[in-house]
Amino acid sequence: CYPSFATSNGFIQCLTEHIPSELIFTPGSINFTTMLVSTSKNSNFLTNTTVKPICIVTVKDASHVQAAVVCGRWNGVRLRVRSGGHDYEGLSYRSARAEVFAVVDLANLHTIAVCVPTATAWVDSGATIGQLYHAVAKTSPELGFPAGECPTIGVGGHFRGGGIGMMMRQYGLAVDHIVDAKMVDANGEILDRATMGEDLFWAIRGGAGESFGVVLSWKVKLVKVPSTVTMFRVTRTVEQGAVDIVTKWQDVGPTLPWDMNMMVRVQRQQAMFQALYLGRCDAILPTITSRLPELNATRSDCEEMTWLEAMAVIGNGNTNTTALLDRNVGFNSFFKVKSDYVRRAIDKGVWHKIFNTWFTMNATGWVMLEPHGGVMGTIPTEATPYPHRSGVLYIIQYIVGWSDDDGSASAARNWINNFYDFMAPYVTTSPREAYVNFRDLDIGQNTVVVNDVSTFDSCKMWGEKYFGGNFQRLAMVKGKVDPTDYFWNEQSIPPLLFHA
Ligand code: FDA
């Protein structure tokens, strides 16, 4: 049983025999807190009461990861792996229960090697997606990669859950483009696609990858991007017809040409439409004005630029592409996120209520609506663990933030929880789908643990929300590769074991 016989002294002794001591940070080390907070984004989990690791290992090569796994298993200390630290519930560096665990931090593993003739790249898990975009576009401006919008997200954590972003209607998710990977499994062995086999390779591409091992690097297929793309941004208030426009957008967004992605941010009394078109403004403006005339879009709402500049604008709000390399830009704050999927457009009356109720309160956050459709609707549900494909109109991300010192936390939490409850009749049901990369422990946790192994039945509640019918296959893969549930967290895949 991991927590009860865990020996932290034995573990750390074992680590120091295999890993240079300057890469190991224990709570007694001067730089322990600096290391702990170094890439962590959510300040909720950096408080005095947070259950913290007994050490952080800032690995520099694959052998260090292997040593951490072997020492961990030998001494009964579980590992959590951190790439970019953006986990919404902080599960890469904290535990929600009293537990002896260590963190393997991959931030030092960030090599990116782009191969133009094959339009592929090997990228280490500790690189950020901004660094990946930059490396790809600087090597060949005709190539890009379809992944998320925030440049500081770590590749390792992003790929473990899917990777939705502004090119997904044309090219799908980040995980749809992974063609090989190198990982360390629960036995400390290094595997690649050929040696891990197709089941495990399927599972690590979006199926809560931390449940299966530590992925060191990924080989991805790059995609073609034109030399000029168009960013389109327009904001409309409720007085300017935001309710009508958002209502209509629900049908228009998912059915626009595939090379156009128009997302919406609803906040207070405004809807902000932001689109990326893989071409010039003149080629898409007539489509926008005819499909969504209520927006009153004009040429001045378009801005033409390179694909890399567009990634910088989407991520940081300006065309400074060098900032994509900086893993420290962006916010660090207290926040909570939830997600939903919509398969049937929500009535105008409901949108009216949403604007009038949830966006007129003091403690309000915002929602991001990201359309699916395009190629997303053509990829079979079981192609990867991400099941939210055909028939999905859009994903909703609810976000609320607060500061620590003004007592606004409970009002903010109430806002998001009550808003989420209000939305239940209008979003998917049975299961109420959720996106695993927008991690939300409220939808369920691995609470029933027998002999230190999570039970399949007790995890179904949250597992099917994230993975639909793919959850059982993930649990079967877990049963084969990590039957003792070494790679465990509050929402790791439970092993499903079949005895002859
Ligand atoms: P972190 O290091 O915290 O890891 C997250 C999870 O993955 C943890 O469980 C961790 O153990 C596991 N993990 C990390 N590296 C691993 C590895 N090498 N092998 C196995 N498991 C590993 N998502 C999206 O799809 N599109 C978007 O546009 C955005 N935008 C966005 C903005 C902001 C500000 C945040 C905070 C988050 C997002 N996300 C997102 C969500 C993001 O994709 C998600 O949180 C990722 O898991 C973050 O990956 P990191 O490596 O940064 O996190």
Side-chain angles (χ1 to χ4, degrees), residues 297-308:
T298 66
R299 208 181 186 294
S300 64
D301 299 317
C302 287
E303 218 183 322
E304 293 181 345
M305 58 188 74
T306 65
W307 173 78
L308 189 62

Side-chain angles (χ1 to χ4, degrees), residues 358-420:
W358 302 103
F359 290 106
T360 52
M361 296 176 180
N362 278 337
T364 64
W366 65 97
V367 292
M368 310 274 281
L369 317 177
E370 298 198 53
H372 280 42
V375 77
M376 288 291 286
T378 70
I379 298 173
T381 306
E382 61 285 353
T384 69
Y386 184 94
H388 323 285
R389 304 275 192 173
S390 175
V392 170
L393 294 179
Y394 58 95
I395 177 173
I396 306 179
Q397 185 178 187
Y398 310 80
I399 307 164
V400 70
W402 59 89
S403 54
D404 189 29
D405 46 10
D406 60 3
S408 55
S410 69
R413 283 188 183 280
N414 285 342
W415 179 83
I416 197 166
N417 290 336
N418 294 335
F419 187 15
Y420 183 75

Side-chain angles (χ1 to χ4, degrees), residues 77-298:
V77 175
R78 280 188 161 120
L79 297 180
R80 293 185 183 223
V81 53
R82 181 168 73 175
S83 289
H86 284 52
D87 192 277
Y88 284 148
E89 297 280 8
L91 296 191
S92 53
Y93 52 90
R94 67 110 188 182
S95 175
R97 63 175 193 173
E99 187 192 3
V100 174
F101 72 99
V103 168
V104 168
D105 188 294
L106 301 182
N108 286 330
L109 299 183
H110 49 71
T111 302
I112 302 168
V114 180
C115 177
V116 176
T118 57
T120 56
W122 271 103
V123 54
D124 283 349
S125 283
T128 65
I129 59 168
Q131 291 166 349
L132 176 60
Y133 296 157
H134 194 272
V136 170
K138 290 293 173 188
T139 310
S140 169
E142 292 173 359
L143 294 174
F145 187 70
E149 287 126 28
C150 168
T152 52
I153 298 171
V155 163
H158 195 50
F159 290 8
R160 55 66 78 185
I164 65 176
M166 291 299 276
M167 291 206 293
M168 77 172 150
R169 302 194 60 256
Q170 173 79 347
Y171 291 119
L173 307 175
V175 293
D176 296 327
H177 296 267
I178 297 169
V179 292
D180 205 343
K182 289 197 184 96
M183 66 178 285
V184 174
D185 72 3
N187 298 318
E189 303 286 345
I190 295 185
L191 306 175
D192 64 7
R193 180 174 183 170
T195 51
M196 78 178 78
E198 288 303 302
D199 270 349
L200 181 53
F201 183 61
W202 173 84
I204 59 170
R205 287 174 296 151
E210 73 276 15
S211 316
F212 304 96
V214 180
V215 182
L216 303 166
S217 55
W218 313 77
K219 185 179 183 184
V220 292
K221 190 93 191 117
L222 305 173
V223 301
K224 278 228 159 276
V225 293
S227 55
T228 304
V229 305
T230 301
M231 285 299 304
F232 171 90
R233 284 181 288 178
V234 69
T235 296
R236 294 290 178 256
T237 62
V238 168
E239 289 76 41
Q240 291 169 321
V243 174
D244 281 317
I245 306 171
V246 171
T247 305
K248 188 157 176 197
W249 169 89
Q250 297 176 101
D251 293 315
V252 173
T255 54
L256 282 168
W258 293 14
D259 46 7
M260 169 79 167
N261 189 334
M262 182 189 283
M263 63 190 281
V264 190
R265 173 176 170 140
V266 176
Q267 187 169 17
R268 298 196 178 277
Q269 294 299 292
Q270 291 187 334
M272 289 155 267
F273 297 82
Q274 171 166 276
L276 172 69
Y277 173 62
L278 300 175
R280 289 190 171 273
C281 178
D282 288 343
I284 194 64
L285 195 56
T287 307
I288 301 176
T289 50
S290 71
R291 297 288 315 277
L292 208 49
E294 299 82 354
L295 205 51
N296 288 321
T298 66

Side-chain angles (χ1 to χ4, degrees), residues 25-100:
F25 298 83
T26 59
S29 319
I30 301 171
N31 289 326
F32 178 78
T33 303
T34 309
M35 279 316 306
L36 185 66
V37 304
S38 59
T39 59
S40 305
K41 280 285 162 195
N42 196 338
S43 309
N44 277 340
F45 310 115
L46 298 170
T47 67
N48 287 341
T49 54
T50 302
V51 179
K52 301 184 180 74
I54 56 163
C55 81
I56 303 168
V57 192
T58 57
V59 296
K60 288 218 156 146
D61 63 40
S63 74
H64 298 160
V65 179
Q66 291 179 285
V69 171
V70 171
C71 292
R73 294 215 53 184
W74 192 250
N75 290 283
V77 175
R78 280 188 161 120
L79 297 180
R80 293 185 183 223
V81 53
R82 181 168 73 175
S83 289
H86 284 52
D87 192 277
Y88 284 148
E89 297 280 8
L91 296 191
S92 53
Y93 52 90
R94 67 110 188 182
S95 175
R97 63 175 193 173
E99 187 192 3
V100 174

